Amino acid sequence: MLKKTICDHLASLTEIRTAREYVCEECIKTGDSWVHLRTCQTCGTTLCCDSSPNKHATKHFLASEHPVVISSEPGERWLWCFVDEQMAGY
């Protein structure tokens, strides 16, 4: 049986960056709405998820290559690595 391990991007985190405000930093500029929020663990930017019309968190990853976000939803405690498409709790 293989032991499941988390990817290096998730394993290298030493602290969790949480949302400064409960808003998508891009949607708020244009008055758009969002469904769920994700916070980048490299720069701390909070953006909307792929269920949201603008998908700003994924666009941020594609432009910046910052690999890991957390869910910024109340009560949720998980990380997502865009590069390795891997999720982990914290």
Side-chain angles (χ1 to χ4, degrees):
M1 181 183 220
L2 294 174
K3 182 180 177 187
K4 184 178 178 181
T5 58
I6 62 172
C7 69
D8 290 342
H9 299 107
L10 296 176
S12 68
L13 292 177
T14 57
E15 66 177 281
I16 300 296
R17 294 174 180 254
T18 57
R20 293 182 286 269
E21 291 184 79
Y22 192 71
V23 298
C24 172
E25 295 179 25
E26 290 301 316
C27 287
I28 203 77
K29 295 175 185 175
T30 57
D32 288 334
S33 61
W34 56 86
V35 178
H36 301 291
L37 296 171
R38 310 293 180 238
T39 301
C40 176
Q41 293 304 289
T42 302
C43 67
T45 301
T46 298
L47 300 163
C48 59
C49 70
D50 282 358
S51 296
S52 302
N54 292 305
K55 302 179 182 181
H56 284 125
T58 296
K59 288 178 181 175
H60 177 73
F61 161 67
L62 294 171
S64 67
E65 297 184 0
H66 294 168
V68 178
V69 295
I70 64 161
S71 171
S72 292
E73 293 301 306
E76 293 185 1
R77 295 178 56 87
W78 55 263
L79 303 136
W80 171 256
C81 177
F82 284 103
V83 174
D84 298 305
E85 296 184 345
Q86 192 171 45
M87 181 182 278
Y90 69 89

